[in-house]
C-alpha cells in the first residue's frame, strides 16, 4: 500500500499520517517528486491541508480513498501531499495562485503544477459528482489530462500568467500618492489610519449578528481589536461609540453562538452561517490566541465582566486540552470524532436527561439547561443540538444552568475526543504566550 516516501513515521505530521493508507501514490514536497514529474513529463497534483480541516477529511474520503480516482491520479500526475502547518511557505505561494484563479481560497487546496512547479490550475474542495457551477474532481482530472496531453501551449501560457500574478501579489508596491498621504496627514504629523479603516469595517459590518462580511463567518479578532483601539482613542465621541458597537455586537454574538464551546471553553475556527451557530468544529490554537486577546481588550475597554469570563474559558480549555506535559501547546483539535462531524459537541434532550438524572433537582436542572442552550427534539444540526445561549449572557445562566453545564461537561469527557494535532508550532505558541502576557 502506498506510503509517503522517505519520511519515517516518527517524523510524520498528523495530517500526513491520515493519508499514508490512501491508494494515491503520494510523494512529499521535494526533489524526488519534481524529478519524477520532469522525467515522465507528468504534471504535479499538489494537495495541501491540515489535520483538523473538516473539508480535507471529506475530500479524502470521497476522492483520495477511492481506488478509481486514485488510479486516475497515479496514471496522469505526480501527487504531492503537504501539511500547510509544516510548510507555510509552500502553502502561501500556491494560495496566491488559487486566489488569483478563483477569487477566494481555503483548504483543502488543490493545485496543478508544471514540472518546474509553476501552477496552471487550482481550487479548493472538488466534489465527487458534478454540480452546477462546480465540476467534480474526476471531471477536473480528465480535462486537465487532456489539456496537458493535447494543448500544452495553453498550459504554458496559463502558468506564465499565474507566475506573474503571484509575483505581483507577493510584492508590496509603492502606489502613486501613498507617501504624500502619510506625510500630509495632520500637517506632516502621524497619519489617521484608523478612521478610514473603521469606515471600511462599517461597510462590511452585520448590524444584527456582528462580524464583518457574510457566511461563512470568521471571527477576525484583529478587526475587533482595530475597532476597540478606535473606541479607546475616541472615547466619549459618537465615532468612539460606533466603534464600540462594531466590537461588542460581534463579541456578544460570538460568545453566545455555537462557534463558542459553552461547556469546555474556546472557539471553533469559523461559522458556516451568519448567526455564529453552526461551526465546522475544528479548534485551532491561533484562533484561541487571537480571541483571548480580543475578549480581554473588550473587557478592558468596556468593563463587561462577561468578556473576562470568556477569556477564562479559553485559557482553561488550552491548559486542559491543548497543553503538552512538557509545556508546549498543541496546534489543533479535529472537527470530527468517530468519523462524524461535531459528534463530540452536540446533544439531544434524551442525552441531557440521562446525563443529569439522579438527585431531587434532576428534572429542574435538565429543563433549565434545555431551555437555556436551546436544546430541542428537532435540533439545529443533523437531528442534534449545537449549544448556544442568549446573546449578551456570556457570563452564564442561573444556578441551575451552571450546575447542569458542569454535569454535561463531566459527561462529555467520557466521549471519544476529536483527533489531536500534537505539533507544537513556535509561531502559534508565541502568539498564545503573547496573548496571555
Amino acid at each position: 500500500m502506498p506510503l509517503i516516501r522517505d519520511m519515517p513515521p516518527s517524523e510524520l505530521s498528523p495530517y500526513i499520517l491520515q493519508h499514508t493508507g490512501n491508494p494515491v501514490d503520494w510523494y512529499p514536497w521535494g526533489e524526488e517528486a519534481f524529478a519524477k514529474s520532469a522525467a515522465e513529463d507528468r504534471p504535479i497534483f499538489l494537495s495541501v491541508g491540515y489535520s483538523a480541516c473538516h473539508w480535507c477529511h471529506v475530500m479524502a474520503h470521497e476522492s483520495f480513498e477511492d481506488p478509481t480516482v486514485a488510479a486516475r491520479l497515479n496514471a496522469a500526475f505526480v501527487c504531492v501531499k503537504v501539511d500547510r502547518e509544516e510548510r507555510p511557505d509552500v502553502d502561501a505561494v500556491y494560495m496566491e495562485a488559487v486566489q488569483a484563479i478563483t477569487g477566494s481560497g481555503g483548504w483543502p487546496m488543490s493545485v496543478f503544477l508544471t514540472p518546474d512547479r509553476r501552477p496552471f490550475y487550482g481550487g479548493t474542495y472538488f466534489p465527487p459528482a458534478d454540480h452546477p457551477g462546480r465540476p467534480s474532481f474526476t471531471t477536473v482530472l480528465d480535462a486537465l489530462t487532456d489539456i496537458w496531453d493535447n494543448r500544452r501551449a495553453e498550459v504554458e501560457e496559463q502558468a506564465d500568467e499565474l507566475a506573474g500574478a503571484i509575483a505581483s501579489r507577493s510584492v508590496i508596491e509603492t502606489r502613486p500618492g501613498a507617501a504624500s498621504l502619510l506625510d500630509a496627514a495632520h500637517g506632516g504629523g502621524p497619519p489617521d489610519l484608523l478612521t478610514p479603516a473603521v469606515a471600511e469595517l462599517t461597510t462590511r459590518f452585520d448590524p444584527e449578528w456582528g462580524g464583518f462580511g457574510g457566511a461563512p463567518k470568521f471571527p477576525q479578532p484583529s478587526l475587533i481589536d482595530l475597532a476597540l483601539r478606535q473606541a479607546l482613542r475616541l472615547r466619549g465621541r459618537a465615532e468612539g461609540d460606533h466603534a464600540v458597537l462594531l466590537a461588542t455586537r460581534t463579541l456578544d454574538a460570538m460568545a453566545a453562538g455555537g462557534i463558542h464551546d459553552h461547556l469546555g471553553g474556546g472557539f471553533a475556527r469559523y461559522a458556516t452561517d451568519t448567526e455564529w451557530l453552526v461551526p465546522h468544529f475544528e479548534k485551532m490554537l491561533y484562533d484561541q490566541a487571537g480571541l483571548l486577546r480580543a475578549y480581554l481588550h473588550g473587557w478592558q475597554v468596556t468593563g463587561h465582566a462577561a468578556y473576562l469570563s470568556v477569556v477564562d474559558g479559553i485559557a482553561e480549555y488550552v491548559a486542559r486540552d491543548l497543553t503538552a506535559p512538557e509545556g508546549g501547546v498543541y496546534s489543533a483539535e479535529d472537527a470530527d470524532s468517530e468519523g462524524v462531524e461535531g459528534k463530540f459537541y452536540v446533544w439531544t434532550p434524551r442525552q441531557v436527561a440521562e446525563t443529569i438524572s439522579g438527585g431531587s433537582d434532576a428534572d429542574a436542572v435538565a429543563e433549565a439547561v434545555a431551555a437555556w442552550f436551546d436544546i430541542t427534539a428537532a435540533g439545529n444540526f443533523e437531528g442534534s443540538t449545537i449549544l448556544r445561549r442568549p446573546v449578551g449572557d456570556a457570563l452564564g445562566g442561573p444556578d441551575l444552568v451552571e450546575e447542569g453545564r458542569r454535569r454535561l461537561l463531566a459527561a462529555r469527557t467520557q466521549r471519544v475526543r476529536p483527533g489531536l494535532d500534537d505539533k507544537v508550532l513556535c509561531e502559534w505558541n508565541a502568539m498564545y504566550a503573547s496573548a496571555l502576557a
Side-chain angles (χ1 to χ4, degrees):
M1 185 171 290
L3 296 174
I4 303 290
R5 288 166 170 71
D6 299 332
M7 298 175 70
S10 62
E11 297 181 13
L12 292 178
S13 76
Y15 177 66
I16 299 298
L17 278 172
Q18 290 168 359
H19 293 84
T20 54
N22 293 165
V24 176
D25 196 10
W26 293 116
Y27 282 74
W29 178 265
E31 290 302 324
E32 184 182 4
F34 310 147
K36 183 178 180 65
S37 173
E40 299 180 4
D41 192 33
R42 284 198 274 162
I44 295 168
F45 168 58
L46 172 64
S47 176
V48 182
Y50 58 98
S51 72
C53 169
H54 170 71
W55 284 104
C56 298
H57 301 333
V58 172
M59 191 167 177
H61 295 323
E62 292 174 343
S63 296
F64 303 148
E65 295 174 6
D66 184 318
T68 302
V69 176
R72 293 193 193 189
L73 281 168
N74 295 338
F77 301 89
V78 174
C79 302
V80 175
K81 177 63 74 175
V82 168
D83 183 337
R84 66 173 291 258
E85 293 161 6
E86 286 193 325
R87 293 303 303 264
D89 53 338
V90 174
D91 176 71
V93 168
Y94 293 105
M95 187 59 73
E96 292 285 357
V98 170
Q99 290 174 336
I101 294 167
T102 67
S104 62
W107 299 275
M109 181 166 63
S110 306
V111 195
F112 297 85
L113 320 177
T114 62
D116 60 0
R117 287 164 275 175
R118 289 175 298 146
F120 62 90
Y121 187 74
T124 54
Y125 164 78
F126 289 103
D130 291 316
H131 296 286
R134 185 184 283 270
S136 70
F137 189 50
T138 52
T139 296
V140 170
L141 295 180
D142 290 345
L144 293 179
T145 300
D146 175 67
I147 292 171
W148 181 264
D149 291 340
N150 302 309
R151 294 147 58 191
R152 185 70 62 87
E154 294 180 25
V155 172
E156 292 293 333
E157 181 180 357
Q158 176 76 349
D160 287 341
E161 289 180 4
L162 280 173
I166 293 171
S168 66
R169 291 166 64 100
S170 302
V171 176
I172 299 175
E173 298 178 352
T174 302
R175 294 173 297 169
S180 61
L181 172 67
L182 298 179
D183 295 338
H186 300 288
D192 178 11
L193 301 180
L194 285 178
T195 297
V198 172
E200 173 62 25
L201 283 187
T202 301
T203 67
R204 292 189 272 158
F205 179 64
D206 178 347
E208 182 177 7
W209 294 100
F212 308 100
K217 256 185 181 173
F218 290 78
Q220 302 182 82
S222 61
L223 300 185
I224 298 170
D225 263 354
L226 186 149
L228 289 170
R229 186 173 294 276
Q230 179 77 328
L232 198 60
R233 175 173 172 257
L234 302 179
R235 186 186 292 274
R237 294 167 53 180
E239 299 95 325
D241 294 342
H242 172 69
V244 168
L245 175 66
L246 297 181
T248 56
R249 183 65 53 84
T250 303
L251 293 171
D252 289 345
M254 288 194 305
I259 193 174
H260 185 202
D261 183 353
H262 296 284
L263 302 184
F267 286 80
R269 182 167 173 260
Y270 68 100
T272 62
D273 61 314
T274 60
E275 300 178 22
W276 306 105
L277 173 61
V278 181
H280 271 314
F281 298 98
E282 65 261 41
K283 295 168 81 172
M284 319 292 291
L285 176 58
Y286 66 82
D287 288 315
Q288 314 314 315
L291 287 167
L292 188 147
R293 184 188 298 270
Y295 277 96
L296 177 63
H297 289 170
W299 170 70
Q300 289 176 323
V301 171
T302 68
H304 294 341
Y307 297 157
L308 203 56
S309 172
V310 175
V311 169
D312 289 341
I314 294 172
E316 289 171 3
Y317 160 65
V318 173
R320 180 186 64 244
D321 296 331
L322 287 187
T323 301
E326 300 81 6
V329 186
Y330 299 136
S331 295
E333 286 194 293
D334 207 327
D336 301 5
S337 56
E338 301 182 78
V340 179
E341 182 189 9
K343 184 175 182 179
F344 182 74
Y345 296 100
V346 298
W347 295 84
T348 64
R350 179 177 180 179
Q351 289 172 328
V352 170
E354 291 174 349
T355 297
I356 297 177
S357 63
S360 58
D361 63 346
D363 290 343
V365 171
E367 183 178 345
V369 165
W372 186 258
F373 291 118
D374 198 22
I375 302 170
T376 64
N380 55 31
F381 181 74
E382 299 179 358
S384 297
T385 296
I386 301 168
L387 304 187
R388 62 176 173 182
R389 51 188 174 186
V391 175
D393 288 301
L395 187 59
D399 290 344
L400 285 177
V401 172
E402 287 305 294
E403 174 60 27
R405 189 188 68 80
R406 286 190 289 271
R407 296 188 197 181
L408 293 184
L409 177 60
R412 198 180 74 175
T413 61
Q414 304 305 310
R415 294 180 173 180
V416 176
R417 289 199 67 88
L420 176 68
D421 185 336
D422 60 0
K423 293 194 305 295
V424 177
L425 300 176
C426 180
E427 180 184 17
W428 293 8
N429 273 250
M431 290 170 65
Y432 188 68
S434 174
L436 289 179

